[in-house]
Amino acid sequence: MTTRQEVLVPDIGDFDAVEIVEVMVAVGDNVAAEDSLITLETDKAAMDVPAPIAGKVLEMSVSLGDKVSEGSLILVLEAAEVVEAAPAEISATATPAVATGADPVASPVAESSSQSGPDTKSVRTTTPTALPPINEAGFAIAHASPSIRKFARELGVDLSRVQGSGPKQRIVPEDIKAFVKAIMTGQLAAASGPALPEVPVVDFAKFGAVEEKPLGRIQKISGPRLHASWVNLPHVTQNDEADITDMEAQRQALKARAAEKGVKLTPLAFAIRACVQALEEFPVFNTSMGPDNKTLIWKQYTHIGFAADTPNGLVVPVIRDADKKDVFELAAALADLSGRAREGKLKVEEMQGGTFTVSSLGGIGGTAFTPIINAPEVAILGMPRSKMQPVWNGEEFVPRLIQPLCLSYDHRVIDGATGVRFTTYLAARLGDAEGLIGRRRDD
Amino acid sequence: MTDVIEVKVPDIGDFTDVEVIEVHVKAGDEVAAEDSLITLETEKAAMDVPVPSAGRVEEIFISVGDKVSEGTVIIKLTAADSTVGLDSAAPAEVNTSSQTEVDPKQVAIPPNSYTGKADNETSLLILGAGPGGYTAAFRAADLGMDVTLVERWPSLGGVCLNVGCIPSKALLHAAKVIEEAHEMSEFGVKFAAPEINTIKLRDWKQSVVDRLTGGLAGLAKQRKVKVVQGTGTFLSPQHVRVEGDTGSQVIAFQQCIIAAGSEPAMIPGLPDDPRIIDSSGALELEDMPKRMLVIGGGIIGLEMATVYDALGVQVSVVELTKTLVPGCDPDLLRPLEKRIKGRYEAIYKGVGVTGVAAEKAGLLVSFEGNGAPEPQLYDKVLVAVGRSANGGKIGAELAGVKVSERGIIDVDKQQRTNVPHIFAIGDIVGQPMLAHKATHEGKVAAEVAAGEKSYFDARVIPGVAYTDPEIAWVGVTETEAKAQGLDYGKGAFPWAASGRALSVARDEGVTKIIFDNKTNKIIGCGIVGPNAGELIAEACLAIEMGCDATDIGLTIHPHPTLSETVGMAAEAFEGTLTDLYIPKRKK
């Protein structure tokens, strides 16, 4: 005897119209109880919906990209054995299956909260490519008569990009038509300026099984920004080392005192103290390029961003007025911000206004890397893992704890000598354990 | 008792155009204070906008996918009126507290909202019927739009037709005939001294004006453009009130083109005296002064000086800057200055007027500066110190249109103001204040309003001083080329070598073309001499078409004409000129 069992989306918190990012089963598949059926993704977390009972998939009611809410029908199972109590229990067993411990707080997300019918594919994400702005200065000197200019305006053609074929390179109507045709047939990039060479498109499925998943929300947002920084800012990465043996001893010694204040004293708090000191010495690292790239904006405040790894991706919370905080206060701020970052509870303004960023990967490993500047900031400090190393002190090798430093800076603003002076100074500060504790300068 | 309040997007930090990703309420919903209305998503986070007070949603203005900014109205809310124990004062309290909370600091110019009734409606309203305004009206009508043209004067045509270009040219023609007749005495044709009947002359001038303005009225009628006479001022971004002789009406419009022009600038502190006139007054030829001072040595002042000089008035010109016609190349000015120096009573450059005292015997004018004369008594003083844009006189702020301190309205290349459905053209958008610029802009604005993709893409706007001799220029002047450090070359042809110039007894002219040395393309041209204004048109076309020196030089010009001088100036640059001997340029 078989029973048809409808599997519905369980209670998934305050979310509505959540996107299905993965479908693990197909009609005809046999599933065991607790096997994952689909994966849903909200802005906070991805969560799997497990099968409440073992059975065979009779019908699928959803597909990849559909938006579902609590109670939406996922599929129909043919129960392998009769389980009388099953329907009532489905949502109960399913609820704890939320993949991460993220707290589904108030802010629900969905690209569009339209209907969540089975056929709604998330195709609406592709927007028509907006025409790039016309280079007006180039347009105004192009060798083109008034009638050609009018024709170009009707089609939105940037005359500064059109090669004229008439006498003395005069642009004639055929040139405009050829230009438009070239764009429409993909021979010419629609964007102005020298287009970046394209990465070849590969059909990966030809070489084996593949699975395609959309990027997570934070990746979708941060990707273009990282790319913009990488292609717009000439990056130079200066590598250096700091001896943090004394700093580490100091940190251990202060741990108890910190614990009294309820603070966990991390190496990053010391590193940020040292960065603040180095920024005071070299304020050019605390600037930003003006919008026209012709002025430099010197900021009279020091807000330090730090890269925080969260279940959903990388975020950069900002410690306000880091220069007015001692190492205990910095440690407390770090703990508070990174804790809330992991929970997805950071406020917008807590991720704004940074003047310099520290990216510490020391907890994981590495010897050196090239951090990408958090533009429009002009520098970022990368910190791989510190390591005990033999250091020649003039007489013998002594074991010292060495912290690699990887400083990327915007070479338009900072020259090489200044870059290395900064890391040298920073290393010296990290070596000066006493100076790192810091008293608030206003007392 | 109920109060309707608007709930707006509160301060959301530095974000604008934030996407609405969720709408939690719909019209008719009852909401409690702090209930979420909508969810916004910025790049960094999603945030809910709560309702400031309990009530019922009357109307919702936002849907999913809309972009909002601080101050965008989200819903209209009727405050809940019967919470337990609330006395009658409570709703008012709710209202005020919510208003202070939801009414965030507004953008720079909050446009007015007009809720009264409109007497008439139109899809396109054009404010001002000068050359720019009527051209825009006619073009828009030809493109199928329903157009209303508002004009404060009884006749169409604006300053240009009524008190500017056209009447002044009529008088300048009279001046020219007088001068030429007089000059012919040297060459064996002697006329008696002219008898000038100013009343008849004025009537003829007026007949020219009337013929043109009457023609415009006919053109408007043929195109079914509604002409409303009266002074228009904005009430809101959608309404204009027109106050006319026959009453007042409110016209609602969908789009608008502001073409309200400019007025002669006046020097502050002058006495109120009918003997002090501006260019409009000067064209009236009320009574002929014996001795007249023209304040301002620009184009308008010098044109009027030309007329009054020919009519037998003793003319003096005073100019505050060191040169007449500021901006014009000195070599083009020289023939004019040479001619008027011998004719006018005095030309004071670098001299300012410090005061005008109205006395019975005349206007006592005092001067200061290097070469300033003792105070002088004049019968009339013509003030021609430029024109000021009328942007401040049309209530533009009520439409949300930004106007500069000097009355100028900024526009983009499609003539749009900061308010996208309101355009501005002509003098009111700034220099150069020329009719032919206004007409071109008028066409652009009309076409854009009608949905066409038109832009102001003209490369050059020519300028002409209808003095005797005339001066005309277009594109880059030599002075500008030098100042900008351009790599330029010039070809100049003196009219002393032109048979046509000699045969009209005027050999002082010069035609000069400025070329880009890299491309040999023409980038500017300046001409001084009779008919310079007509001759400059060829250079305008050459610049727009991107002609180089060879193109111009190899174009056969008719002989004998003054237009030959343009081709010869190009040949002079090329080194192919045979009508003059010019030592070879060192390349």
Side-chain angles (χ1 to χ4, degrees):
Chain A
M1 178 179 163
T2 57
T3 316
R4 280 170 60 91
Q5 166 101 43
E6 289 187 346
V7 180
L8 311 177
V9 174
D11 178 3
I12 49 173
D14 285 346
F15 296 102
D16 218 19
V18 174
E19 189 172 344
I20 298 177
V21 296
E22 200 172 350
V23 177
M24 286 102 158
V25 294
V27 173
D29 284 1
N30 281 309
V31 295
E34 297 302 314
D35 274 3
S36 283
L37 300 174
I38 58 171
T39 306
L40 306 177
E41 189 183 53
T42 70
D43 63 332
K44 305 283 174 186
M47 51 187 123
D48 288 352
V49 178
I53 52 167
K56 188 171 157 191
V57 179
L58 284 182
E59 290 167 27
M60 286 297 299
S61 300
V62 294
S63 51
L64 195 65
D66 286 359
K67 306 266 164 107
V68 295
S69 306
E70 180 181 343
S72 301
L73 178 64
I74 302 170
L75 51 76
V76 180
L77 275 182
E78 183 185 49
E81 52 202 350
V82 185
V83 181
E84 291 297 336
E89 265 170 45
I90 296 167
S91 61
T93 53
T95 313
V98 172
T100 71
D103 181 12
V105 278
S107 50
V109 83
E111 319 241 11
S112 80
S113 68
S114 54
Q115 73 274 52
S116 55
D119 292 330
T120 0
K121 297 255 156 79
S122 62
V123 284
R124 246 169 270 122
T125 48
T126 50
T127 49
T129 356
L131 281 171
I134 284 175
N135 170 2
E136 292 292 346
F139 193 99
I141 55 164
H143 191 20
S145 69
S147 67
I148 296 294
R149 281 175 246 158
K150 185 172 168 60
F151 186 40
R153 287 295 190 184
E154 281 166 11
L155 299 174
V157 166
D158 185 349
L159 284 180
S160 68
R161 299 182 59 207
V162 179
Q163 186 71 43
S165 68
K168 296 169 187 167
Q169 283 82 53
R170 172 183 294 280
I171 298 171
V172 296
E174 286 65 34
D175 298 328
I176 307 237
K177 291 177 191 162
F179 179 83
V180 170
K181 201 172 171 192
I183 285 182
M184 296 199 50
T185 54
Q187 294 161 37
L188 252 179
S192 56
L196 290 170
E198 296 275 330
V199 174
V201 179
V202 173
D203 180 7
F204 302 102
K206 279 202 322 210
F207 308 105
V210 294
E211 185 187 8
E212 199 174 332
K213 289 186 187 184
L215 292 176
R217 263 176 42 77
I218 291 178
Q219 280 175 305
K220 278 184 198 157
I221 293 163
S222 61
R225 297 185 146 214
L226 290 165
H227 191 200
S229 173
W230 185 247
V231 298
N232 285 307
L233 273 56
H235 280 63
V236 176
T237 304
Q238 175 67 53
N239 291 309
D240 210 332
E241 289 179 338
D243 182 339
I244 58 164
T245 320
D246 296 344
M247 182 200 100
E248 183 56 20
Q250 180 76 269
R251 188 174 78 88
Q252 295 297 343
L254 291 172
K255 257 187 172 172
R257 196 173 126 198
E260 278 170 33
K261 300 186 179 195
V263 175
K264 189 180 167 227
L265 208 50
T266 57
L268 184 56
F270 284 88
I272 289 177
R273 254 306 290 169
C275 286
V276 165
Q277 292 172 327
L279 291 172
E280 278 169 4
E281 186 69 18
F282 300 96
V284 71
F285 287 79
N286 205 45
T287 63
S288 278
M289 197 73 101
D292 56 358
N293 287 345
K294 284 177 188 146
T295 53
L296 200 57
I297 294 158
W298 297 73
K299 283 162 261 187
Q300 322 263 324
Y301 50 83
T302 309
H303 303 332
I304 306 285
F306 63 97
D309 187 27
T310 75
N312 300 310
L314 176 76
V315 295
V316 182
V318 175
I319 301 178
R320 303 260 136 189
D321 298 315
D323 54 333
K324 299 196 174 71
K325 292 184 165 66
D326 66 18
V327 77
F328 299 104
E329 290 164 315
L330 288 173
L334 278 169
D336 169 48
L337 289 168
S338 51
R340 283 189 293 122
R342 272 192 296 276
E343 291 166 21
K345 284 182 173 173
L346 281 181
K347 296 191 195 110
V348 176
E349 57 267 28
E350 288 174 323
M351 293 182 274
Q352 289 177 327
T355 60
F356 181 87
T357 300
V358 179
S359 173
S360 171
L361 301 179
I364 307 168
T367 56
F369 68 105
T370 303
I372 295 181
I373 299 162
N374 191 10
E377 294 169 23
V378 295
I380 181 170
L381 178 69
M383 302 201 3
R385 163 164 282 182
S386 58
K387 202 155 69 176
M388 202 55 94
Q389 288 176 13
V391 174
W392 186 255
N393 69 0
E395 291 169 10
E396 56 180 346
F397 281 105
V398 291
R400 303 292 291 177
L401 187 61
I402 300 299
Q403 169 67 56
L405 304 172
C406 310
L407 177 82
S408 290
Y409 56 85
D410 183 343
H411 207 355
R412 298 173 302 172
V413 178
I414 294 156
D415 57 35
T418 311
V420 74
R421 277 191 199 109
F422 184 89
T423 59
T424 306
Y425 186 84
L426 181 66
R429 296 282 63 75
L430 285 164
D432 172 18
E434 268 313 307
L436 278 179
I437 300 165
R439 293 282 170 269
R440 294 159 77 165
R441 285 177 301 145
D442 48 358
D443 58 22
Chain B
M1 178 184 157
T2 56
D3 289 288
V4 177
I5 59 171
E6 286 184 345
V7 180
K8 297 176 185 173
V9 175
D11 181 358
I12 48 172
D14 288 345
F15 298 101
T16 53
D17 291 338
V18 174
E19 187 169 351
V20 176
I21 57 166
E22 201 161 333
V23 176
H24 306 283
V25 296
K26 56 184 188 298
D29 282 2
E30 297 283 343
V31 291
E34 297 304 315
D35 275 3
S36 274
L37 293 176
I38 56 172
T39 305
L40 305 177
E41 186 180 53
T42 70
E43 291 178 12
K44 306 269 182 167
M47 53 184 123
D48 286 353
V49 178
V51 61
S53 59
R56 194 174 71 246
V57 178
E58 287 299 325
E59 208 175 339
I60 182 148
F61 300 98
I62 283 185
S63 50
V64 170
D66 285 1
K67 307 264 175 163
V68 298
S69 304
E70 179 179 341
T72 307
V73 177
I74 304 168
I75 57 163
K76 222 177 238 177
L77 184 76
T78 307
D81 54 352
S82 59
T83 321
V84 184
L86 225 52
D87 60 17
S88 59
E93 216 173 276
V94 170
N95 197 359
T96 49
S97 73
S98 62
Q99 271 190 349
T100 47
E101 193 181 328
V102 299
D103 207 0
K105 42 189 184 316
Q106 280 282 4
V107 276
I109 350 168
N112 196 26
S113 63
Y114 172 79
T115 48
K117 87 177 200 344
D119 302 296
N120 276 302
E121 285 179 11
T122 186
S123 54
L124 180 65
L125 184 138
I126 293 167
L127 192 58
Y134 75 70
T135 303
F138 295 175
R139 182 78 185 115
D142 288 348
L143 290 170
M145 296 187 83
D146 156 50
V147 181
T148 302
L149 182 58
V150 175
E151 171 55 51
R152 64 177 160 150
W153 288 346
S155 65
L156 303 183
V159 170
C160 170
L161 263 66
N162 290 285
V163 288
C165 323
I166 300 304
S168 65
K169 262 67 259 167
L171 295 182
L172 281 163
H173 175 67
K176 187 181 172 200
V177 171
I178 296 168
E179 289 310 315
E180 287 183 343
H182 177 70
E183 275 163 16
M184 275 313 283
S185 63
E186 275 184 55
F187 313 124
V189 181
K190 193 174 165 102
F191 294 93
E195 277 175 45
I196 295 165
N197 179 339
T198 50
I199 296 171
K200 225 171 159 184
L201 180 58
R202 191 167 66 214
D203 288 349
W204 169 69
K205 175 211 74 175
Q206 196 55 44
S207 73
V208 172
V209 170
D210 291 346
R211 192 165 157 193
L212 284 167
T213 57
L216 283 181
L219 289 174
K221 207 169 176 185
Q222 285 166 333
R223 291 183 159 90
K224 301 190 170 56
V225 169
K226 269 173 276 169
V227 177
V228 177
Q229 201 256 308
T231 303
T233 47
F234 286 97
L235 296 172
S236 83
Q238 305 289 351
H239 297 86
V240 158
R241 178 188 298 284
V242 183
E243 304 270 1
D245 293 343
T246 53
S248 152
Q249 61 166 305
V250 173
I251 303 175
F253 59 83
Q254 284 162 20
Q255 297 186 85
C256 176
I257 299 175
I258 302 173
S262 63
E263 285 184 342
M266 261 295 154
I267 303 172
L270 291 186
D272 187 20
D273 190 295
R275 293 168 296 182
I276 298 176
I277 55 175
D278 60 18
S279 58
S280 310
L283 291 166
E284 285 305 307
L285 299 179
E286 280 299 339
D287 50 297
M288 279 298 131
K290 234 179 130 251
R291 200 168 178 231
M292 177 162 110
L293 176 70
V294 177
I295 305 178
I299 292 176
I300 296 173
L302 291 178
E303 286 183 10
M304 294 320 300
T306 306
V307 171
Y308 277 81
D309 168 61
L311 296 176
V313 176
Q314 276 183 357
V315 175
S316 296
V317 177
V318 57
E319 164 62 38
L320 189 60
T321 66
K322 290 262 190 267
T323 63
L324 299 177
V325 196
C328 184
D329 283 342
D331 55 343
L332 301 177
L333 264 176
R334 216 166 290 130
L336 171 68
E337 276 199 81
K338 197 175 158 200
R339 183 175 169 89
I340 62 178
K341 228 177 234 168
R343 303 181 58 94
Y344 296 178
E345 187 186 347
I347 298 167
Y348 307 112
K349 292 189 284 184
V351 171
V353 170
T354 54
V356 178
E359 298 189 354
K360 208 164 176 198
L363 298 159
L364 187 66
V365 181
S366 40
F367 302 88
E368 71 172 4
N370 208 357
E374 290 301 303
Q376 301 282 318
L377 202 62
Y378 297 98
D379 302 315
K380 267 200 178 161
V381 169
L382 164 61
V383 180
V385 292
R387 302 187 66 85
S388 63
N390 285 337
K393 298 170 185 163
I394 53 171
E397 64 283 353
L398 295 183
V401 173
K402 271 187 218 154
V403 182
S404 82
E405 274 169 36
R406 294 165 57 223
I408 289 168
I409 298 174
D410 278 341
V411 291
D412 65 11
K413 286 193 84 136
Q414 292 193 296
Q415 306 300 134
R416 284 184 204 277
T417 66
N418 62 308
V419 179
H421 68 278
I422 301 181
F423 302 80
I425 60 168
D427 290 1
I428 210 161
V429 306
Q431 295 289 350
M433 294 190 182
L434 297 170
H436 45 269
K437 184 203 71 160
T439 54
H440 194 96
E441 290 176 341
K443 283 189 176 166
V444 170
E447 287 167 6
V448 174
E452 295 196 359
K453 289 173 188 159
S454 288
Y455 285 74
F456 189 94
D457 275 332
R459 294 199 170 155
V460 288
I461 301 164
V464 181
Y466 293 90
T467 44
D468 184 18
E470 289 180 7
I471 305 177
W473 63 96
V474 65
V476 179
T477 66
E478 195 173 356
T479 316
E480 283 168 358
K482 269 187 198 143
Q484 294 170 19
L486 301 183
D487 180 14
Y488 77 97
K490 66 172 169 178
F493 186 81
W495 289 16
S498 158
R500 181 68 176 169
L502 295 183
S503 60
V504 296
R506 296 296 293 264
D507 62 356
E508 78 267 45
V510 177
T511 298
K512 177 176 73 171
I513 308 183
I514 312 289
F515 295 97
D516 179 331
N517 269 342
K518 276 197 210 76
T519 60
N520 281 0
K521 275 194 208 165
I522 174 174
I523 54 172
C525 180
I527 303 175
V528 58
N531 287 317
E534 309 288 338
L535 299 178
I536 201 73
E538 181 183 354
C540 300
L541 181 63
I543 294 174
E544 292 291 350
M545 294 301 293
C547 293
D548 62 19
T550 315
D551 294 329
I552 301 170
L554 290 182
T555 299
I556 296 178
H557 290 74
H559 177 78
T561 60
L562 295 172
S563 72
E564 278 176 298
T565 64
V566 175
M568 287 174 179
E571 289 186 327
F573 173 78
E574 287 242 286
T576 55
L577 178 63
T578 51
D579 280 38
L580 269 181
Y581 178 71
I582 302 172
K584 277 224 157 48
R585 287 185 301 159
K586 288 191 190 92
K587 283 244 177 182

